[in-house]
């Protein structure tokens, strides 16, 4: 048992085993493909192999006559409403789950076949004959923005889903007086690659729809199903089974999630669809694909007085909800990092092209913004003639600077920005020295750093136009003193059950084993917006803290009556209410629960039977829309970290090997160090993939990486020895003092690795990822010349 800063016992900070792991590791988990219902049939989709075309017709006759086929539908036969466009600040897309008039990317669903099993459905799908009239392809952002560009949505008049132009007057004044240093920074197209793909099962029984889906946000799915299917939310139940990884990609709502329920209602029998990996790489949302043009007005000492520039993202066809422009806004909010940069004016363009829609992916714009500012700082250091680390020291926030509002509007209340940076530098320089002793002085060895802040528990209103940031918890005692807690966050492998159980046990001073957690079912869980943006521990914790306070007050009143003592004389510790100074006079939660639920005649006057509480928590201080000055505090809190990466570059092959890695991190109070380390290790592994390997190239609208043969993921050999250190003290502005850490590992990796490659080669301008061997060989030639 740990002790808190006040010396009292606490469960927080203890490295305990995750309560869900036994079930997951022994094959007793139930993933979406494990959902099998009596009479269930299977669906397969016919997808466009043309990137841009007009749909003239779909011939389904031959497929419908195949043995075992129950139905074949084209878009014209599906009477679903268009997915609502609820964001007035972006162009309306009006996309429908099954294409009717036009396809805008390879992988767009054209028709669906339902058969006795997936094999029969796939065979029949090959006989569906779509009549597509090819249209000019918009293959790149440059093509999309050309004056004579073909238009994906002719009613718009251009190919901009989103365009934001800030007021630059104050920033322009700084640029008129000071030196300018500029760069273009690009993170190319990637995709999340969860171990489990997407999938949906639906059943319509007794005038009620039940949908099992691999999602991060069950209640949001329910709300969107209601809008598109035309059913009241009360007649829809959404269940999230075990989810084998989400990473933001499963926080989108896909055409299949509307179509499979529609089929179940139409056919009056359960229907299932399970994504294969080829479908995943062409139809599940892509990510990143962002170019940031960034300029700094630089003082004589190299520090930055102002930033201006543009974040431009290739959104693919834009046919997804929530729309894929959200990461661009987060990139804008990330550019100042933990630095004292007084002003910024950053434009945003979300451009549509004939590619798979872009959506959320772990980091959600944070890696892009951090990559740009850290690369620019290194460029400034080179041009001004200042050591790259010394320049950061001149700008980084000190404790006395807090609270601090960044130029983008983020309110930083707590953090260890300078301490994390200095500790990471110590680790990085030591790792570099140790590796140099192993490989010799001639090897191309380098170390790079990235320091940043990460917004956690952000509002979702700016990308959904509907939901904001709240979450709920129902905490209920049983008569034996056990507790059931129902929460609105969801699990996808990140240890959410353990986190929630630990917080409940901490708040009520009971063992974790006495807590049962319910989540991922809209009929039994408390309303919530799911797990994304590193929000789970914070918002669930806030609701749990409030519900527990209600229970503690009621429990104290009942215990005081049983002990014939004054409530103010009681303290709760170790699951027992005891009279202060008299340890022998005490009653347990079990005894209190018996009185509240069974022996109700023992309750004090005015206290009703029952021992349960529901609470809702919405983080304070959030801006759900931009303020009049354009600034926005879009997150409930901000973690900080610095990454250090040591790399070895092979000059002949261009291969970059990450030898050592360190993360010094501050997420406030740590709930479980093992879970936190797992989150950061996994995030760094994904960051290494994005920095060195993962890329989804296109040619004339055709995807060139449609299997894992072409889309390269890091394996165990590519993930190095890693040091993770936590600096944080309890964050005073947050429930339980916690902030969140789900995306911390991935945000700094691209910038730190690029900086290390630049350091190894002795060049500037390592401004694009992934740093594939061909890219690195070009840099080596530049260094040699």
């Amino acid at each position: 048992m740990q002790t808190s800063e006040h010396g009292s016992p606490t469960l927080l900070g203890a490295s305990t085993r995750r309560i869900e792991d036994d079930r997951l590791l022994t094959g007793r988990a139930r993933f979406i493909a494990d959902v099998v219902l009596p009479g269930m049939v299977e669906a397969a989709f016919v997808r466009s192999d043309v990137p841009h075309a007009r749909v003239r017709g779909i011939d389904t006759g031959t497929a419908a006559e195949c043995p075992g086929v129950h139905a074949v539908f084209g878009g014209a036969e599906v009477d679903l409403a268009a997915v609502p466009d609820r964001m007035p600040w972006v162009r309306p897309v009006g996309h429908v789950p099954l294409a009717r008039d036009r396809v805008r990317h390879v992988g767009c669903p054209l028709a669906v076949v339902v058969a006795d099993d997936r094999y029969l459905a796939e065979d029949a799908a090959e006989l569906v004959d779509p009549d597509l009239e090819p249209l000019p392809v918009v293959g790149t952002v440059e093509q999309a923005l050309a004056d004579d560009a073909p238009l994906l949505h002719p009613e718009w008049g251009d190919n901009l889903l989103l365009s934001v132009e800030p007021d630059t007057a104050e920033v322009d004044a700084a640029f008129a007086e000071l030196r300018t240093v500029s760069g273009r920074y690009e993170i190319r197209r990637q995709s999340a690659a969860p171990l489990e793909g997407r999938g949906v099962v639906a059943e319509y029984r007794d005038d009620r729809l039940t949908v099992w889906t691999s999602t991060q946000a069950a209640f949001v799915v329910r709300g969107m199903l209601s809008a598109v299917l035309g059913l009241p939310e009360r007649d829809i139940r959404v269940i999230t089974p075990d989810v084998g990884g989400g990473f933001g990609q499963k926080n989108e709502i896909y055409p299949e999630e509307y179509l499979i329920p529609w089929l179940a209602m139409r056919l009056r029998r359960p229907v299932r669809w399970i994504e294969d990996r080829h479908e995943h790489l062409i139809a599940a949302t892509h990510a990143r694909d962002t170019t940031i043009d960034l300029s700094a007005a630089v003082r004589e000492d190299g520090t930055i007085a102002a930033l201006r520039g543009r974040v431009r993202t290739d959104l693919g066809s834009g046919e997804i909800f929530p729309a894929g422009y959200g990461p661009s806004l987060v990139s804008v909010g990330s550019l100042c990092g933990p630095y004292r940069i007084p002003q910024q004016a950053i434009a945003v363009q979300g451009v549509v092209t004939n590619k798979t829609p872009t959506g959320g992916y772990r980091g959600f714009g944070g890696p892009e913004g951090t990559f740009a500012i850290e690369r620019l700082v290194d460029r400034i250091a080179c041009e001004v003639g200042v050591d790259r680390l010394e320049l950061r020291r001149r700008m980084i926030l000190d404790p006395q600077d807090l609270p601090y509002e960044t130029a983008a509007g983020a309110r930083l209340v707590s953090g260890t920005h300078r301490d994390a940076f200095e500790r990471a530098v110590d680790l990085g320089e030591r790792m570099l020295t140790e590796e140099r002793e192993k490989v010799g002085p001639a090897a191309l060895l380098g170390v790079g750093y990235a320091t940043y802040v990460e917004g956690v528990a952000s509002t979702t209103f700016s990308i959904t136009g509907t939901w904001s940031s709240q979450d709920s918890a129902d905490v209920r005692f049983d008569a034996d003193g056990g507790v059931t807690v129902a929460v609105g966050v969801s699990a996808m492998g990140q240890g959410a059950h353990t986190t929630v159980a630990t917080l409940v046990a901490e708040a009520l001073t009971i063992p974790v084993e006495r807590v049962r957690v319910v989540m991922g079912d809209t009929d039994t869980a408390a309303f919530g917006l799911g797990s994304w943006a590193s929000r789970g521990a914070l918002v669930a914790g806030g609701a749990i803290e409030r519900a527990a306070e209600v229970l503690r007050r009621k429990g104290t009143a009942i215990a005081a009556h049983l002990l014939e003592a004054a409530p103010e004389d009681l303290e709760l510790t170790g699951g027992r209410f005891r009279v202060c100074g008299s340890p022998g006079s005490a009653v347990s939660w079990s005894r209190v629960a018996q009185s509240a639920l069974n022996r109700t005649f023992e309750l004090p006057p005015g206290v009703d039977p029952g021992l349960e509480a529901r609470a809702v928590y919405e983080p304070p201080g959030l801006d759900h829309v931009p303020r009049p000055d354009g600034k926005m505090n879009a997150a409930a809190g901000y973690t900080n970290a610095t990454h250090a990466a040591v790399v070895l570059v092979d000059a002949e092959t261009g291969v970059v090997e990450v030898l050592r890695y360190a993360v010094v991190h501050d997420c406030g109070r740590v709930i479980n160090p093992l879970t936190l380390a797992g989150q950061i290790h996994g995030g760094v592994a994904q960051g290494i993939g994005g920095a060195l390997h993962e890329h989804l190239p296109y040619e004339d609208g055709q995807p060139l990486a449609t299997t894992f043969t072409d889309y390269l993921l890091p394996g165990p050999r590519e993930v190095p020895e890693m040091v993770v250190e936590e600096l944080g003290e309890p964050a005073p502005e947050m429930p339980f003092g916690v902030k969140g850490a789900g995306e911390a590992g991935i945000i700094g990796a691209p910038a730190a690795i690029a900086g290390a490659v630049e350091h190894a080669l002795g060049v500037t301008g390592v401004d694009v990822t992934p740093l594939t061997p061909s890219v690195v060989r070009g840099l080596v030639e530049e260094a040699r010349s």
Side-chain angles (χ1 to χ4, degrees):
M1 176 71 73
Q2 304 283 310
T3 56
S4 69
E5 61 271 23
H6 305 296
S8 56
T10 177
L11 297 169
L12 304 186
S15 295
T16 56
R17 291 178 57 187
R18 303 196 323 178
I19 61 177
E20 56 266 74
D21 282 356
D22 283 347
R23 186 173 55 83
L24 293 171
L25 294 173
T26 56
R28 291 183 287 115
R30 192 189 194 202
F31 297 96
I32 189 68
D34 298 318
V35 179
V36 178
L37 304 176
M40 186 177 73
V41 290
E42 305 258 2
F45 285 88
V46 179
R47 300 184 184 274
S48 175
D49 57 5
V50 177
H52 197 193
R54 186 173 289 109
V55 181
R56 292 189 295 209
I58 306 286
D59 184 355
T60 62
T62 304
E65 295 174 358
C66 290
V69 171
H70 295 271
V72 186
F73 295 102
E77 302 162 287
V78 176
D79 57 348
L80 286 173
V83 176
D85 293 294
R86 292 171 169 170
M87 294 73 69
W89 42 89
V90 299
R91 289 314 198 357
V93 177
H95 75 281
V96 291
L98 209 58
R100 293 174 186 166
D101 304 316
R102 186 182 288 214
V103 296
R104 297 181 176 87
H105 68 92
V106 171
C108 173
L110 292 167
V112 60
V113 178
V114 183
D116 286 333
D117 60 46
R118 179 65 179 258
Y119 300 100
L120 294 174
E122 292 277 8
D123 289 344
E126 293 182 0
L127 301 176
V128 174
D129 184 16
D131 182 6
L132 304 178
E133 176 189 347
L135 295 172
V137 174
V138 181
T140 66
V141 165
E142 290 72 23
Q143 292 173 1
L145 296 177
D147 292 338
D148 58 350
L151 300 180
L152 272 69
H153 300 271
E155 65 275 15
W156 294 359
D158 57 32
N159 286 314
L160 288 171
L161 177 71
L162 171 73
S163 182
V164 177
E165 295 292 335
D167 183 355
T168 64
E170 292 185 3
V171 166
D172 289 343
F175 276 86
E177 298 176 0
L178 299 173
R179 176 177 184 170
T180 299
V181 179
S182 302
R184 169 168 285 189
Y185 307 100
E186 180 182 358
I187 291 189
R188 292 176 175 162
R189 201 169 193 84
Q190 301 172 21
S191 174
L195 187 63
E196 178 205 36
R198 299 178 295 126
V200 188
V201 180
E203 181 181 38
Y204 191 66
R205 181 187 295 272
D206 300 327
D207 296 325
R208 196 154 191 261
L209 177 67
T210 302
V211 179
W212 293 259
T213 182
S214 183
T215 185
Q216 296 172 224
F219 283 95
V220 176
V221 171
R222 186 184 70 175
M224 294 304 293
L225 285 175
S226 175
V228 174
L229 296 175
L231 289 177
E233 288 194 35
R234 63 183 176 276
D235 291 336
I236 303 172
R237 179 184 186 185
V238 176
I239 300 172
T240 302
D242 291 303
V243 176
F247 309 121
Q249 194 178 47
K250 292 180 182 174
N251 202 38
E252 309 288 346
I253 303 175
Y254 291 90
E256 299 87 356
E257 288 176 294
Y258 306 112
L259 286 162
I260 299 303
W262 181 85
L263 289 167
M265 296 172 65
R266 180 71 175 260
L267 301 177
R268 289 298 196 270
R269 63 188 305 173
V271 182
R272 180 173 70 172
W273 167 76
I274 304 297
E275 178 184 67
D276 64 34
R277 191 57 67 176
H278 174 70
E279 285 182 298
H280 176 84
L281 286 169
I282 64 171
T285 52
H286 295 169
R288 313 296 190 228
D289 210 350
T290 294
T291 299
I292 301 179
D293 291 298
L294 195 61
S295 297
V298 179
R299 305 182 185 97
E300 290 185 4
D301 64 353
T303 58
I304 300 172
L307 294 172
R308 68 181 178 191
R310 180 186 62 218
V311 176
R312 179 179 284 167
T313 302
D314 186 334
L315 297 179
S317 73
E319 298 167 302
I320 194 67
F321 184 92
Y325 64 84
S328 302
L329 305 180
V330 173
S331 292
V332 172
S334 303
L335 287 173
C336 289
Y339 301 127
R340 290 184 294 268
I341 301 175
Q343 297 176 329
Q344 74 172 39
I346 310 296
V348 178
Q349 287 183 325
V351 185
V352 292
T353 64
N354 292 126
K355 299 176 184 174
T356 299
T358 299
Y361 179 33
R362 195 175 193 174
F364 204 76
E368 297 94 309
T370 299
F371 183 78
I373 188 61
E374 291 294 86
R375 299 283 70 242
L376 182 62
V377 169
D378 279 351
R379 183 183 291 269
I380 293 169
C382 181
E383 293 196 14
V384 176
V386 179
D387 178 79
R388 58 179 180 158
L389 300 180
E390 178 57 29
L391 178 54
R392 287 172 169 82
R393 290 186 176 105
R394 293 175 183 179
M395 295 191 294
I396 203 162
L397 292 169
D398 287 306
Q400 60 267 28
D401 295 321
L402 302 177
Y404 178 85
E405 182 171 289
T406 71
R411 300 189 188 101
L412 311 183
V413 178
S414 61
T416 52
H417 309 90
R418 183 174 294 277
D419 287 348
F421 174 75
E422 296 294 354
R423 177 56 181 160
V425 170
D426 288 344
L427 291 169
E429 298 304 305
R430 188 179 72 196
M431 293 188 303
L432 180 65
T433 299
E434 292 172 354
E435 293 303 317
R436 178 66 68 191
E437 293 173 354
K438 297 177 185 177
V439 299
L444 296 177
L445 198 67
V447 60
Y449 301 95
T451 188
Y452 61 89
V453 294
E454 173 203 355
V456 300
S458 60
T459 177
T460 188
F461 188 80
S462 58
I463 60 171
T464 67
T466 305
W467 295 277
S468 53
S469 57
Q470 81 279 14
D471 244 81
S472 311
D474 291 339
V475 184
R476 182 183 71 247
F477 271 94
D478 299 320
D480 62 1
V483 173
T484 298
V485 55
V487 290
V489 298
S490 55
M492 50 185 170
Q494 81 277 40
H497 288 86
T498 298
T499 297
V500 168
T502 302
L503 293 176
V504 171
E506 174 76 7
L508 299 174
T509 74
I510 61 176
V512 172
E513 306 82 63
R514 305 201 73 174
V515 181
R516 177 176 177 266
V517 180
V518 174
M519 60 175 69
D521 184 336
T522 58
D523 269 13
T524 59
F527 180 85
L529 302 180
S531 293
W532 40 270
S534 303
R535 72 189 298 271
L538 196 157
V539 295
I544 289 166
E545 188 175 62
R546 291 183 174 184
E549 176 59 27
V550 173
L551 291 171
R552 286 195 301 267
R553 288 199 303 267
K554 186 169 185 177
T556 299
I558 297 171
H561 185 70
L562 295 173
L563 293 168
E564 299 182 349
E568 59 270 20
D569 292 337
L570 266 59
E571 62 178 355
L572 175 62
T573 181
R576 297 172 65 81
F577 297 88
R578 66 182 186 186
V579 179
C580 296
S582 181
S585 299
V587 294
S588 66
W589 269 118
S590 298
R591 181 69 179 87
V592 169
Q594 289 173 18
S595 295
L597 295 166
N598 294 342
R599 300 166 62 89
T600 56
F601 57 85
E602 295 179 342
L603 292 174
V607 175
D608 292 330
L611 196 55
E612 60 187 64
R614 165 172 288 190
V616 179
Y617 177 77
E618 182 158 26
L622 277 173
D623 296 324
H624 300 289
V625 296
R627 306 196 296 264
D629 60 3
K631 297 181 179 181
M632 187 173 179
N633 183 53
Y638 296 86
T639 68
N640 66 272
T642 300
H643 291 208
V646 175
V647 306
L648 178 66
V649 181
D650 187 315
E652 301 305 317
T653 65
V655 170
V656 176
E657 181 181 0
V658 183
L659 300 177
R660 303 277 290 278
Y661 207 96
V663 178
V664 183
H665 183 249
D666 179 355
C667 63
R669 171 179 271 168
V670 175
I671 298 172
N672 187 323
L674 290 178
T675 298
L676 175 61
Q679 287 290 294
I680 293 179
H681 282 225
V684 170
Q686 288 178 301
I688 290 171
L692 298 177
H693 308 290
E694 299 180 44
H695 184 209
L696 288 165
Y698 274 74
E699 184 174 328
D700 296 327
Q702 289 291 339
L704 303 182
T706 60
T707 72
F708 281 161
T709 301
D710 306 301
Y711 190 74
L712 304 181
L713 297 171
R717 290 175 59 87
E718 285 74 44
V719 180
E721 176 186 343
M722 200 178 307
V723 175
V724 177
E725 293 187 1
E726 279 295 325
L727 293 184
E729 297 293 331
E733 72 276 21
M734 294 297 161
F736 293 97
V738 306
K739 290 185 181 179
E743 295 162 291
I746 200 170
I747 292 175
I753 291 170
V757 171
E758 193 170 86
H759 184 230
L761 299 180
V763 299
T764 57
V766 182
D767 298 336
V768 62
T769 63
L771 291 165
T772 58
S774 60
V775 171
V776 175
R777 283 198 301 270
L779 294 168
V780 171
E781 292 301 317
E782 177 186 339
R784 286 173 173 170
S785 65

